[in-house]
Amino acid sequence: MLIGSDDLGDLSGECEYCGTDLRYTYAIIHPSWGAMVVGTDCCDNLTGTMLASEHHEKYLKKMERRKRFVSSKRWKRIRSGGEWLIQEGLSVFILPSANKFLIRMGSVEGAARYDSAIDAKLKAFDFIESGEATAFFIKRGERERRRSDQQSKRGKSADDFAKLIEQAGLSVPQRLPTAIRRK
Ligand SMILES: [Zn+2]
């Protein structure tokens, strides 16, 4: 059974099954061998699945896309400093900020500061690629919709209140509460 995978960044690992030097490792639990850390091929063989090799292929493709994203020709220079592009429908800005860099997506500025524009771009890529960005903006959109719903409800009750005053034959006071004046 495959329980996890890791990219060590270099060949610092070793397959506990065949002794090969590894960069990409998989933690498995084998019914007769117990828990062990193995390479892609041994993981496939020992689990009798293609999980490790499929995961590995997907992982390498993602790393390739990540590299392409950072050096993409789609990045456009901003005259006041920084760069921007549109990725999956989101406008992504990498902006200089006090010798560091920050990410802005749409109108939302991230709180984190990065040492280089490349670090910021990698972070932006991961944020979008993982689906976190989409989830964030969906949630934010819902929050804003709820807020404007509440506002329109408030507006309606203010209208009703003004109507009641009129019906009662009273003059509408000069200084109305904010919610009513907004009408
Ligand atoms: Zn091995």
Side-chain angles (χ1 to χ4, degrees):
M1 185 176 61
L2 176 61
I3 53 174
S5 63
D6 199 10
D7 176 358
L8 304 176
D10 55 25
L11 287 174
S12 61
E14 191 187 355
C15 177
E16 288 177 9
Y17 189 72
C18 72
T20 306
D21 287 338
L22 298 176
R23 170 173 169 177
Y24 306 101
T25 60
Y26 298 85
I28 63 168
I29 296 176
H30 191 268
S32 44
W33 302 84
M36 57 203 300
V37 173
V38 295
T40 313
D41 293 339
C42 286
C43 183
D44 275 359
N45 292 336
L46 291 168
T47 59
T49 68
M50 299 282 282
L51 288 173
S53 51
E54 281 165 8
H55 172 273
H56 187 60
E57 203 176 310
K58 251 190 240 164
Y59 180 80
L60 289 186
K61 274 188 188 146
K62 184 183 150 188
M63 287 298 118
E64 197 52 47
R65 279 202 307 282
R66 207 169 177 252
K67 217 164 36 181
R68 276 204 305 273
F69 176 76
V70 167
S71 55
S72 172
K73 288 193 175 76
R74 293 185 295 125
W75 287 106
K76 291 182 190 73
R77 294 230 152 257
I78 302 168
R79 214 178 298 166
S80 56
E83 298 167 76
W84 77 285
L85 57 57
I86 291 180
Q87 177 82 351
E88 296 190 16
L90 268 173
S91 49
V92 180
F93 299 82
I94 306 296
L95 304 171
S97 166
N99 290 327
K100 303 248 179 188
F101 293 86
L102 63 84
I103 302 169
R104 197 174 87 199
M105 287 189 187
S107 59
V108 181
E109 210 167 274
R113 297 295 180 267
Y114 302 89
D115 289 334
S116 72
I118 290 176
D119 288 335
K121 285 177 182 179
L122 289 173
K123 182 65 201 178
F125 177 86
D126 292 342
F127 189 57
I128 294 169
E129 182 80 9
S130 66
E132 279 174 81
T134 312
F136 173 82
F137 282 100
I138 288 174
K139 221 169 165 186
R140 192 164 182 274
E142 280 168 0
R143 214 162 51 223
E144 270 165 11
R145 216 169 306 128
R146 261 202 309 277
R147 201 176 301 143
S148 73
D149 279 357
Q150 269 165 12
Q151 254 162 22
S152 66
K153 252 180 233 152
R154 229 187 354 256
K156 189 165 172 279
S157 64
D159 285 350
D160 293 347
F161 183 55
K163 219 174 275 167
L164 280 175
I165 293 176
E166 258 175 36
Q167 281 166 4
L170 299 168
S171 62
V172 180
Q174 287 275 299
R175 288 179 64 82
L176 287 169
T178 329
I180 295 173
R181 245 185 297 144
R182 190 176 288 139
K183 182 205 158 197

